[in-house]
Amino acid sequence: MPQITTDIIATKEFAVKPRGYDQEQVDKFLDDICDEMDNQQNLIKSLQQQLREAQAASARPVPAPAPEPRSQEAALNSSENSLREILQMAQKVKDETIADARKKAEEILSDARTQAEKQLGSIAQERDSLSHQLEELRTTVTDYRTRFESLLSEQKQALEKIADL
């Protein structure tokens, strides 16, 4: 599975079907987003575990050479600070990715609704046009029938006059 990025989310296009976007394709894409979010959360948990282990290791008394206790303490603090920064960055990336995914999902749904409404409007116009054409055809049929019956009646009368002669 490819890694989901905000660029992929921003440029993702779905095939349009007669009633809107392909639901299976949208669902698959959203599943991929969820999987990526799970991966991000697992990374955060892993980093948190590493931080706890580093904190636990720094809490244990470690025999150290007498001349450099401050440099080891500084190294531990630096390591702890680095892990905190990594954890904060991972949390920020997770939050941004989730926010971007939600925003893009809302845009996709909004676009799908708009397109569905346009299609329904177009279909309604076409239905109205076809209904009008059908009514015109019915009127034309009625007119032709009336003319034809009139013509038959005239022909019948003409034949009757000829027969009387």
Side-chain angles (χ1 to χ4, degrees), residues 3-71:
Q3 184 177 10
I4 301 294
T5 65
T6 54
D7 290 334
I8 291 172
I9 294 169
T11 59
K12 181 67 178 174
E13 292 183 313
F14 297 100
V16 177
K17 290 202 171 183
R19 293 192 168 238
Y21 288 103
D22 182 347
Q23 187 66 41
E24 289 180 18
Q25 193 176 18
V26 172
D27 288 344
K28 171 71 172 107
F29 187 68
L30 292 176
D31 288 344
D32 290 347
I33 291 172
C34 291
D35 290 344
E36 182 62 25
M37 296 305 103
D38 288 340
N39 291 340
Q40 293 294 323
Q41 289 173 344
N42 289 338
L43 175 61
I44 290 168
K45 287 177 185 176
S46 172
L47 291 171
Q48 287 172 334
Q49 180 62 32
Q50 289 176 11
L51 176 61
R52 283 191 293 274
E53 290 171 2
Q55 288 172 338
S58 68
R60 285 186 230 132
V62 177
E68 297 181 1
R70 288 188 185 184
S71 65

Side-chain angles (χ1 to χ4, degrees), residues 6 20 26 29 35 47 61 67 77 102 113 122 132 143 148 160:
T6 54
V26 172
F29 187 68
D35 290 344
L47 291 171
N77 285 338
R102 284 185 178 147
R113 285 185 184 115
S122 175
H132 180 70
D143 288 346
F148 186 69
E160 286 175 356

Side-chain angles (χ1 to χ4, degrees), residues 126-144:
E126 188 175 341
R127 181 200 64 217
D128 293 344
S129 174
L130 289 172
S131 294
H132 180 70
Q133 289 176 2
L134 180 62
E135 192 58 38
E136 287 177 352
L137 286 172
R138 286 181 178 157
T139 302
T140 302
V141 166
T142 302
D143 288 346
Y144 280 123

